[in-house]
Amino acid sequence: MIDLHTHILPERWPDLCAKYGYPGWVSIEHCGACRARLWKDGRMFREIQSNCWDPAVRVADCDASGVRVQALSTVPVMFGYWAKAQDAADLAAFLNDHVAGVVQAFPDRFTGLGTVPMQDPRLAVRELERCVRELGMPGVQIGSHVNGRNLDDPAVVEVLEAAAALGACVFVHPWDMMAADRMPRHWFPWLVGMPAETALAVGSVCFGGVLERLPSLRIGFAHGGGAAPMTLGRWEHGFRERPDLCQTMTRESPRESIRRVWFDSLVHDPEALRLLLSVAGNGKVALGTDYPFPLGELSAGEVVRKAGWLDAEMRESILHGAAAAFLGERASRAVRAAGGAGDGRVPPHVDATA
Amino acid sequence: MIDLHTHILPERWPDLCAKYGYPGWVSIEHCGACRARLWKDGRMFREIQSNCWDPAVRVADCDASGVRVQALSTVPVMFGYWAKAQDAADLAAFLNDHVAGVVQAFPDRFTGLGTVPMQDPRLAVRELERCVRELGMPGVQIGSHVNGRNLDDPAVVEVLEAAAALGACVFVHPWDMMAADRMPRHWFPWLVGMPAETALAVGSVCFGGVLERLPSLRIGFAHGGGAAPMTLGRWEHGFRERPDLCQTMTRESPRESIRRVWFDSLVHDPEALRLLLSVAGNGKVALGTDYPFPLGELSAGEVVRKAGWLDAEMRESILHGAAAAFLGERASRAVRAAGGAGDGRVPPHVDATA
């Protein structure tokens, strides 16, 4: 199995507030050997364990769950899009060098997706090129928006154009969720806001004509596209009934456009996976677990194992082939290594019916 | 067929800004015999046709499409939750009297869902009781939130409690969509915001324990629950993994809670309908078209006809039985009249494969 959606952090990093001279940056406080806390603006953002930073722990977890390769990307709270661009670029370079180092140490087990300072397209493209050309990464992870600008904003599209030209993949992750003031309880920014963010991002590249204009762009979305698969019928209907509102930037309908993109499989429900596959098409849904976070798929491939109606070809595509196609040639060594696990087999000690 | 989700307006109403003494109210400007424009704060909100106000036109459209009964509710822009409560109550009474009059004129073809001034629970309950006891309505339509307060807010729950006690049904419609500043293009408040609003409303009555505490409440959600069906797996997983965040107001999991509610069928995609049915269960999905608006199902029952895998029982439930159960006894005359059309047959001139 190839896991397209995992997060990693360095074990330590400098005091960024001191380094850059203003607050808002995330700090890490270790509590013993295996636990740490992330702090932001004086508030605890998240508690993490050593599987978030220790490659050896990750490899052991992967061996236990049958994952051959993880695509490593930073935690979205580290994007720094809100900050001075030069500082975000500096942090991105630090994080990307760290990821590249982990991949270099375990080239058969990891591949890396970089982060880039999206608030400044010129700096973002420069770091994207460095990720691909110097660090050997297959692509980058970006947020679902950039300081409120959606993915069809010209400044964002500039980076997507560069990615398409480079042959770099772009994995889109929800972050800085909309309408947080409406969601004070029940973890709703994660449970309602994130799916809405992702749908807005998918919708933006469809209705904004980005996919039509950049046919070679490989772009993928976390969490099975969030609300997008369930809403596609509504989008398609709106597109046809109100061309004055919906066809201003493209004539390609959302149902056509959405076939161009990839999604991860993180929907936690075989029936939702069925809808996602009907929307995305075979070959466009790739295993993603959100490892090592608790809202992720804690047993990698669980939703695929539950979807007993998947045939061998579809299962192989989700567990291996779709990610290999999305990541492309630059992930080739790791992906070749994963080939043997691409048949959907799980280690004998994993309950295949769980 | 019974159509649970349709909107109606009076042909004319007083100048509300003059009547109540402040701006923000909607006015109607007729342009010839069959068209009118709705204005709000000096901007055109929507153009409508006579099918929005003329019962005879509606009946003719219903005859053409095979709909025997429409549940009539106001257009959410008329809710007036933002206004002085007494004024919103006054407008609600006016709108409800109008709907009751239309139902009285065509008792076999229409049933009515009232509107109530949700910003003031006492006034809302009073108008709810009047709708049910004096106007003979089966229930009311409310918005997905009340001035930013979600459906698990105590002031909202007070009205839901009264509805449960009265045996009145509550149909929830998205309105005043979140994060409008993030959605300036592509009709996104309707295509992305509304599904997110509805998901937030469904999630609020689940995670907020409202459904658990009011087991007799009949509550239904427009647009097939918006993003909720696609997100339920994520909700269920979050509920189990983070009880500290998600089980503060209920121990009933979202997958259990959601079986208590109804949804309309307005998803425009048979595969989305399949997911919705898997989440809601048989008997809980009722035909809804959003008549007479262009984002609705323009040929009533189209998604049901496209879903060729539905068996006769499921089709009957969607086209008739689920709405009859949701509306309850107070819609009995109209529902009895609709019985003959409950088998999913469509008039011979309607293309059943469309």
Side-chain angles (χ1 to χ4, degrees):
Chain A
M1 292 191 274
I2 302 175
D3 186 348
L4 189 59
H5 179 180
T6 83
H7 299 288
I8 192 168
L9 288 171
E11 184 169 353
R12 299 177 192 282
W13 57 86
D15 179 342
L16 302 173
C17 299
K19 182 175 186 187
Y20 302 131
Y22 48 96
W25 300 95
V26 176
S27 64
I28 185 166
E29 172 203 16
H30 283 269
C31 326
C34 299
R35 287 191 313 118
R37 286 177 175 163
L38 302 180
W39 291 83
K40 185 172 187 295
D41 294 324
R43 297 176 62 174
M44 212 260 281
F45 171 73
R46 186 176 291 174
E47 188 166 301
I48 58 177
Q49 282 80 43
S50 57
N51 53 10
C52 202
W53 66 78
D54 187 335
V57 174
R58 298 176 74 103
V59 167
D61 279 355
C62 284
D63 286 343
S65 65
V67 171
R68 183 64 202 183
V69 172
Q70 284 186 336
L72 306 175
S73 51
T74 196
V75 183
V77 73
M78 304 298 281
F79 283 154
Y81 297 164
W82 57 274
K84 289 180 192 166
Q86 188 58 59
D87 300 333
D90 181 74
L91 177 59
F94 172 81
L95 295 170
N96 294 335
D97 288 345
H98 166 257
V99 166
V102 174
V103 173
Q104 196 170 21
F106 299 86
D108 296 339
R109 305 307 298 270
F110 299 123
T111 184
L113 297 174
T115 183
V116 296
M118 291 294 292
Q119 66 268 57
D120 184 320
R122 193 180 53 85
L123 292 180
V125 170
R126 187 188 297 172
E127 182 62 15
L128 166 66
E129 290 174 342
R130 195 181 75 91
C131 285
V132 170
R133 293 189 177 140
E134 296 181 26
L135 303 181
M137 290 179 172
V140 292
Q141 172 191 244
I142 68 170
S144 50
H145 67 91
V146 179
N147 303 329
R149 298 199 303 270
N150 293 327
L151 299 194
D152 59 344
D153 184 280
V156 177
V157 174
E158 209 176 313
V159 183
L160 299 179
E161 282 168 348
L166 272 170
C169 62
V170 178
F171 185 70
V172 180
H173 198 292
W175 83 298
D176 185 26
M177 283 73 84
M178 64 175 75
D181 60 313
R182 291 283 309 282
M183 306 184 193
R185 284 181 296 278
H186 317 311
W187 213 9
F188 274 176
W190 273 255
L191 299 182
V192 177
M194 277 193 164
E197 274 296 331
T198 309
L200 181 54
V202 174
S204 293
V205 294
C206 289
F207 287 85
V210 178
L211 299 171
E212 186 184 36
R213 293 203 305 284
L214 299 175
S216 70
L217 177 66
R218 300 199 309 283
I219 189 167
F221 294 85
H223 308 147
M230 186 71 195
T231 322
L232 183 62
R234 187 171 175 86
W235 291 2
E236 187 75 7
H237 184 71
F239 183 85
R240 297 190 186 286
E241 290 301 317
R242 290 298 300 269
D244 57 318
L245 297 173
C246 297
Q247 296 188 29
T248 60
M249 293 171 76
T250 183
R251 293 295 173 84
E252 185 174 272
S253 88
R255 195 173 284 281
E256 293 172 292
S257 286
I258 213 166
R259 309 292 279 198
R260 298 182 183 271
V261 310
W262 278 259
F263 298 95
D264 77 18
S265 62
L266 189 52
V267 295
H268 299 286
D269 177 352
E271 291 306 309
L273 180 66
R274 188 198 296 272
L275 175 60
L276 173 59
L277 284 165
S278 84
V279 159
N282 289 342
K284 291 300 183 65
V285 178
L287 175 69
T289 68
D290 215 354
Y291 177 97
F293 295 132
L295 199 43
E297 189 169 69
L298 304 182
S299 170
E302 181 177 2
V303 74
V304 170
R305 290 192 292 278
K306 280 183 173 167
W309 41 267
L310 286 169
D311 64 27
E313 189 187 340
M314 293 164 90
R315 205 162 52 240
E316 193 284 333
S317 174
I318 297 171
L319 298 179
H320 179 266
F326 175 72
L327 292 166
E329 293 181 2
R330 285 194 189 82
S332 58
R333 178 163 169 192
V335 166
R336 267 201 311 277
D343 56 2
R345 283 176 306 189
V346 292
H349 58 278
V350 175
D351 178 2
T353 64
Chain B
M1 291 192 275
I2 301 176
D3 185 349
L4 189 60
H5 179 178
T6 82
H7 298 288
I8 192 168
L9 288 171
E11 185 169 351
R12 297 178 194 284
W13 57 86
D15 179 342
L16 301 173
C17 300
K19 182 176 185 187
Y20 302 131
Y22 48 95
W25 301 94
V26 176
S27 64
I28 185 166
E29 172 203 17
H30 283 269
C31 327
C34 299
R35 287 191 313 120
R37 286 178 176 164
L38 302 180
W39 291 83
K40 186 172 187 293
D41 295 323
R43 296 175 62 174
M44 212 260 281
F45 172 74
R46 188 177 288 175
E47 188 166 301
I48 58 176
Q49 281 81 43
S50 57
N51 53 10
C52 201
W53 66 79
D54 187 335
V57 174
R58 298 176 74 102
V59 167
D61 280 354
C62 285
D63 286 343
S65 65
V67 170
R68 182 65 202 184
V69 172
Q70 284 185 336
L72 306 175
S73 52
T74 195
V75 182
V77 73
M78 304 298 281
F79 283 154
Y81 298 163
W82 56 274
K84 289 180 193 167
Q86 189 58 59
D87 300 333
D90 182 74
L91 177 60
F94 172 82
L95 295 170
N96 294 336
D97 288 345
H98 166 257
V99 165
V102 174
V103 173
Q104 196 171 23
F106 298 87
D108 295 341
R109 305 308 298 270
F110 299 122
T111 185
L113 296 174
T115 183
V116 296
M118 291 295 292
Q119 65 269 59
D120 184 321
R122 192 179 54 84
L123 292 180
V125 170
R126 187 187 297 172
E127 182 63 15
L128 167 65
E129 290 175 342
R130 196 182 74 90
C131 285
V132 169
R133 293 189 176 139
E134 296 181 28
L135 302 181
M137 290 179 172
V140 292
Q141 173 192 244
I142 67 170
S144 50
H145 68 90
V146 179
N147 303 331
R149 297 199 304 269
N150 293 327
L151 299 193
D152 59 344
D153 183 280
V156 177
V157 174
E158 210 176 314
V159 183
L160 299 178
E161 282 169 347
L166 272 170
C169 62
V170 178
F171 185 70
V172 181
H173 198 292
W175 83 297
D176 184 26
M177 282 73 84
M178 65 175 74
D181 60 313
R182 292 282 310 281
M183 306 183 193
R185 284 180 296 278
H186 317 311
W187 213 8
F188 275 176
W190 272 256
L191 299 183
V192 176
M194 277 194 164
E197 274 296 331
T198 309
L200 181 54
V202 174
S204 294
V205 294
C206 290
F207 287 85
V210 178
L211 299 171
E212 186 185 34
R213 293 203 305 283
L214 299 175
S216 69
L217 176 67
R218 301 199 309 283
I219 190 167
F221 294 85
H223 309 147
M230 186 70 194
T231 321
L232 183 62
R234 188 172 175 85
W235 291 1
E236 187 76 6
H237 184 71
F239 183 85
R240 298 192 186 284
E241 289 302 318
R242 290 300 299 270
D244 58 317
L245 297 173
C246 297
Q247 297 189 28
T248 59
M249 292 172 77
T250 183
R251 292 295 173 85
E252 186 174 273
S253 88
R255 196 174 282 284
E256 293 172 291
S257 285
I258 213 165
R259 308 292 280 198
R260 298 181 184 272
V261 309
W262 278 259
F263 298 95
D264 77 18
S265 62
L266 190 52
V267 294
H268 299 285
D269 176 353
E271 292 306 310
L273 180 66
R274 188 198 297 272
L275 175 60
L276 172 60
L277 285 165
S278 84
V279 159
N282 289 342
K284 291 300 183 65
V285 178
L287 175 69
T289 68
D290 215 354
Y291 177 98
F293 296 132
L295 200 41
E297 189 169 69
L298 304 181
S299 170
E302 182 177 2
V303 74
V304 171
R305 290 192 292 278
K306 281 183 173 167
W309 40 268
L310 286 169
D311 65 27
E313 189 187 339
M314 293 164 90
R315 205 162 51 238
E316 194 285 332
S317 174
I318 297 171
L319 298 178
H320 178 266
F326 175 72
L327 293 166
E329 292 181 3
R330 286 195 188 80
S332 57
R333 177 161 170 194
V335 166
R336 269 201 310 277
D343 57 0
R345 283 176 306 189
V346 291
H349 57 280
V350 175
D351 177 2
T353 63

